[in-house]
């Protein structure tokens, strides 16, 4: 017994303490992860600044080289001499050609020495009869790829000639990307097309191309070695794509020469592959040497290179990881201290709490008893039936339910509904209870219940109540609506009587239209059923059809019985009956849009109707039905001064005006209905009562 008591007392505390420890450890881990993320973002920003600076330096250097070569290509004298050579290469004298070649060579030599395209100034001069080879220089070739002139010791190889010919073919600058020449030196070239001086028309073909070539180790690669504010472990390198491989085109920190190393693009865990596939991204992964590094990458405007700026992750994040380790230890120790304090405080307060718990429980029991008594008094004080059903048996009921069956509520508990209220009423109630239990939603419906030889109309609601053991408890509420329903029935009967009186008044005022309203209501109702109109809409349509001509009591009788054609002024008076009908009926509260249906009964689909000139999109379906029914009855019904129009002729007339005046679907429904209404043909016979 004591062991059980100990478990009950300590189990919640141990569980809460364990939960506190878990939340605390999770918070520490989450906090340190956020710190690590913040440090990584800081390194991303710093590496990005360095990478942007070095990429900008390389872009500026490339633009400068293109600028030097472009300035030569646009030199007027050079273009003039090359134009002469292209126009008549064999027509010039030897002296003239020698002078031109001498000028071009001097121009190239001067430009090359000034802009670093020649290494002559860095070499020791040798005897004049010994030829020297140069890896850097400037060369001009004609449109066929033949060398015209170049700087001393420089000769264009096949790769450079191919780039020069590409510049001639496209008429655009071309880059001779980094490659290893025949001397084993890594070089790159910048080719610019040269155009004739005679014409600057668009689409002009170049006459030659000029290229400047430099060794990458002289100026390009040193730009990658400038140190910024990073650690000693940072490295900047250039890569490019070669088929399915990433080629390293700059020297590596491990001593690998440029163009000597490649990585497969399928090596997804390499930062160089990520830089090639996602330029501009930041990542932490392994590099070509297998070290974990932080990396950012940048692309270039005029070259297919990717600049990779990286730093050793261990060295870069050393301080961050030390700080995270310190936070982890410190915060974990703090959580342990707090947990120990909570245990001590709980231990001290447990004895105090035990003494107060019994008093609190007693108070709660008294409050619960008072609330239960109050709730029971409220339920017993209402005339509504309140009871609960569980497994088809009554679990609880109020006094009103007991009084209905002349039994006390306590005596009814546990009995089946069938034994209490009879099989018929029990079946109706069980139907709602089962539906509520299956849908887990409140189900409300009007039920007629015959209990104790008393028939009553009840608004019944079944409310499912979830329980811990899931037995399907349902709360049932029933309010007797017999008096209200009787009052509603009386109101509806009074409204029908009022409609009948108004219809008789209209018929007596307009003897030519005797029974017009009732016939219109009959036809409109038949069309509504054919179109599947709802009950409420059909009832509103029936009311509108019977009252549609109420406004005619304000039209002079002599105008209604006039046999001659009405004048325009008389037509306006006749048409005003619609506004009069709306004005008279506005004082009556109808269920549904009765007033709107009457107001639109003389409107047409094309807007030619009256009084508002409404069009198709503005008209209710009920008003379209009333318009067709009203026109049909007016034409087919006989008058004192004429026989009714035959049924088939009337239908043809309505059909001819579909789409303009009348709705095609409504007229089609009238066709189907009229086939089964032979009694309507009798309306065409002259009325004996009309005067």
């Amino acid at each position: 017994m004591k062991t059980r008591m100990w478990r009950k007392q300590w189990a919640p505390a141990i569980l809460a303490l364990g939960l506190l420890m878990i939340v605390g450890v999770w918070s520490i881990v989450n906090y340190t992860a956020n710190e690590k993320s913040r440090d990584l973002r800081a390194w991303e920003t710093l590496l990005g600044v360095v990478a942007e600076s070095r990429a900008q330096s390389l872009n500026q250097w490339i633009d400068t080289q293109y600028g030097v070569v472009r300035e030569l290509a646009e030199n007027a004298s050079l273009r003039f001499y090359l134009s002469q050579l292209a126009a008549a290469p064999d027509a010039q004298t030897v002296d003239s050609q020698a002078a031109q070649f001498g000028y071009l060579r001097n121009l190239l030599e001067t430009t090359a020495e000034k802009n670093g395209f020649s290494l002559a100034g860095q070499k020791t001069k040798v005897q004049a009869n010994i030829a020297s080879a140069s890896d850097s220089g400037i060369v001009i070739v004609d449109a066929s790829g033949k060398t015209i002139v170049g700087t001393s010791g420089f000769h264009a190889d096949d790769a450079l000639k191919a780039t020069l010919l590409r510049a001639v073919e496209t008429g655009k600058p071309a880059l001779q990307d980094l490659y290893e020449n025949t001397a084993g030196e890594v070089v790159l070239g910048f080719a610019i097309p040269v155009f004739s001086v005679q014409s600057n028309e668009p689409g002009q073909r170049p006459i030659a191309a000029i290229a400047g070539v430099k060794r990458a180790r002289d100026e390009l690669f040193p730009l990658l070695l400038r140190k910024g504010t990073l650690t000693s472990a940072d490295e900047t390198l250039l890569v490019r794509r070669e088929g399915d491989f990433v080629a390293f085109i700059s020297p590596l920190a491990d001593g690998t020469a440029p163009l000597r190393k490649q990585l497969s693009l399928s090596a997804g865990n390499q930062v160089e592959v990520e830089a090639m596939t996602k330029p501009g991204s930041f990542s932490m992964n392994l590099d070509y040497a297998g070290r974990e590094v932080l990396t950012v990458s940048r692309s270039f405007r005029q070259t297919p290179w990717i600049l990779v700026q990286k730093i050793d992750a261990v060295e870069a994040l050393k301080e961050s990881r030390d700080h995270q380790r310190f936070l982890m230890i410190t915060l974990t120790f703090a959580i342990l201290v707090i947990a120990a304090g909570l245990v001590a405080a709980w231990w001290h307060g447990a004895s105090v709490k035990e003494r107060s718990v019994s008093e609190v429980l007693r108070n709660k029991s008294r409050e619960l008893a008072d609330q239960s008594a109050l709730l029971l008094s409220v339920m017993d004080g209402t005339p509504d039936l309140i009871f609960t059903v569980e497994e088809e048996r009554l679990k609880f009921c109020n006094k009103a339910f007991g009084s209905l069956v002349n039994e006390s509520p306590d005596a009814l508990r546990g009995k089946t509904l069938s034994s209490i209220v009879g099989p018929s009423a029990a079946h109706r109630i069980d139907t709602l209870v089962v539906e509520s239990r299956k849908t887990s939603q409140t189900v409300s419906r009007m039920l007629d219940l015959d209990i104790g030889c008393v028939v009553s109309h009840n608004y019944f609601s079944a409310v499912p109540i979830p329980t811990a053991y899931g037995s399907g408890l349902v709360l049932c509420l029933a309010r007797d609506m017999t008096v209200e329903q009787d009052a509603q029935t009386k109101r509806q009967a009074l409204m029908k009587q009022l409609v009948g009186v108004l219809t008789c008044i209209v018929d007596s005022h307009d003897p030519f239209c005797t029974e017009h309203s009732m016939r219109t209501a009959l036809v409109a109702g038949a069309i509504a059923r054919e179109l599947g109109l709802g009950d409420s809409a059909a009832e509103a349509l029936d009311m509108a059809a019977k009252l549609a001509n109420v406004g005619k009591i304000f039209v002079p009788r002599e105008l209604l019985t006039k046999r001659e054609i009405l004048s325009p002024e008389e037509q306006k008076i006749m048409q005003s009956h619609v506004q009069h009908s709306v004005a008279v009926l506005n004082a009556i509260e109808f269920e549904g849009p009765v007033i709107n249906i009457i107001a639109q009964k003389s409107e047409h689909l094309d807007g030619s109707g009256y009084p508002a000139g409404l069009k198709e999109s503005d008209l209710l379906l009920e008003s379209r039905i009333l318009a067709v029914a009203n026109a049909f009855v007016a034409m087919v019904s006989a008058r004192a001064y004429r026989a009714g129009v035959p049924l088939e002729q009337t239908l043809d007339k309505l059909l001819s005006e579909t789409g303009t005046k009348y709705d095609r679907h409504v007229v089609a429904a009238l066709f189907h209905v009229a086939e089964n209404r032979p009694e309507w043909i009798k309306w065409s016979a002259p009325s004996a009562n009309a005067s």
Side-chain angles (χ1 to χ4, degrees), residues 392 429-439 462 474:
E392 300 181 356
I429 296 174
D430 285 339
T431 300
L432 267 69
V433 169
V434 171
E435 182 179 350
S436 172
R437 188 182 293 121
K438 286 183 178 180
T439 61
V474 177

Side-chain angles (χ1 to χ4, degrees), residues 43 231 233-235 287 291-294 310-318:
W43 273 111
T231 67
D234 65 295
E235 181 183 6
D287 68 351
R291 298 178 304 166
E292 187 179 35
V293 294
L294 305 178
K310 60 182 179 176
I311 186 171
D312 186 87
V314 175
E315 184 175 351
L317 300 176
K318 183 178 183 305

